[in-house]
Structures are given as structure tokens and as C-alpha cells.
Amino acid sequence: RSVASMDDNLKTSRAHTKTRKKGGFKRFMLAFGCASACVAAIIYFVGTNIPDISVRVAAMQTGIEASYPSYIPRGFSLDGISSEDSKITLTFTSADAGTFTLIEEKSSWDSAALLRNYVEPTWQGDYTTTHEQGLTIYIYGANATWVNGGVLYKINAENDVLTKKQLRNIVTSIQ
């Protein structure tokens, strides 16, 4: 073999090595990008479902069929969950320091019993009644209450924190 032939083989070998290194880097970056996208998707999925999972755990502990609303007014986020004897309280806060609570507790009341035993004595006739998706909802200021499937729901909020439309949206988003 001639020196020139060996020199050509060495140059070809180096060119292949450079090409292989570039291709290897591209494959590494593609694999890294795919792995990063998968991790981001998992974090997003877990992050968006943590409130619902927390409510389900609290529901199992208290023995009631509690639910997390699929509608939360803009700016509000879940701040805490507490559970005690057949009762779960979800507290929501906003950056504006507004707060509302959603209380879910076992009850044998129907809408008429709720009206007679809670709404009339507590709100003393200063309430409105609305019907949404088969539910009778009693609203007083930024507060609401209703019963559904053996669960008594109450939303308690400071005045002007929630509108009647937001209250109705929260109510109808709980199923």
C-alpha cells in the first residue's frame, strides 16, 4: 500500500468520525427533547389533578361523595382542604385577598327541608331562589346553598367576592 492511499483512508475515517459525532449529538438532543416534553406533560397532568385527588382522599376519609368543582372563578386557587365528621371544607383564595369556602357534608335533606331548616332561619327571607340543571339553589349575597344526592353544599364568601353568575357556574360544575 502506498502512503497516499493510507493518508486517504485516514482522511475518510476522520470524516466519518465527525459525521458520526454530529449525528450522535442530534440523536442525543432529540432524545433529550422528547424526555423533557414527557416530564413536562407528567408534571402538568399531576399539577392539574392534585386538587381533585386531594378531595377524593378527603371524601374517602369522611365517607361522603365529595367533588371538586370544574369551574373556579379566575384568580382563585385552592388554598386548603379540611375534613371532619362527614364534612369537607375547601378554601379558595385570590391574590386580591378574597376568600370563599365550599362546604360539603352528608345530609338527608331535600330542597324543601334545606329551605325550612337552614335558608329561612339563617338568611331571614333575604335570598333568591334559582333553578339550574335540576337543582334548586338558594343565594344570599355572595353565598349559596343547595342539596344534591345526599350532600348539602354551602358556598360562603365575603360580599362582592363572587357574583351570582359565578355562584351558579360553581354549582353547576360540581357533579
Side-chain angles (χ1 to χ4, degrees):
R1 279 182 152 191
S2 73
V3 175
S5 172
M6 287 175 52
D7 192 35
D8 286 342
N9 285 341
L10 185 60
K11 287 179 183 175
T12 306
S13 176
R14 284 185 185 153
H16 286 315
T17 303
K18 286 182 181 177
T19 305
R20 238 183 288 143
K21 285 183 181 177
K22 280 187 180 178
F25 181 73
K26 286 180 182 178
R27 276 183 279 181
F28 171 76
M29 289 307 293
L30 178 63
F32 181 76
C34 289
S36 297
C38 288
V39 167
I42 290 169
I43 290 171
Y44 173 78
F45 178 74
V46 169
T48 57
N49 288 307
I50 281 179
D52 191 45
I53 293 167
S54 299
V55 170
R56 290 185 192 279
V57 169
M60 288 188 305
Q61 291 172 345
T62 58
I64 67 170
E65 289 293 324
S67 301
Y68 186 80
S70 59
Y71 169 80
I72 304 297
R74 183 174 297 155
F76 283 92
S77 61
L78 182 64
D79 188 41
I81 299 174
S82 65
S83 61
E84 54 187 63
D85 302 328
S86 301
K87 179 177 167 180
I88 296 174
T89 303
L90 308 173
T91 303
F92 297 88
T93 57
S94 72
D96 304 338
T99 301
F100 75 91
T101 59
L102 171 61
I103 301 166
E104 304 177 37
E105 59 187 294
K106 274 187 180 180
S107 178
S108 59
W109 290 353
D110 61 3
S111 294
L114 175 61
L115 176 64
R116 186 176 53 254
N117 296 322
Y118 177 78
V119 173
E120 290 177 340
T122 306
W123 296 338
Q124 301 175 1
D126 193 19
Y127 61 88
T128 58
T129 305
T130 186
H131 300 280
E132 296 279 336
Q133 297 181 3
L135 301 172
T136 302
I137 308 160
Y138 301 102
I139 299 174
Y140 172 72
N143 303 298
T145 188
W146 71 100
V147 291
N148 188 16
V151 178
L152 168 63
Y153 297 89
K154 297 176 191 172
I155 297 174
N156 297 322
E158 303 159 359
N159 284 340
D160 300 328
V161 169
L162 298 173
T163 65
K164 287 184 180 181
K165 182 178 180 180
Q166 288 173 323
L167 287 169
R168 286 193 309 271
N169 288 341
I170 293 169
V171 171
T172 57
S173 76
I174 299 174
Q175 296 299 329

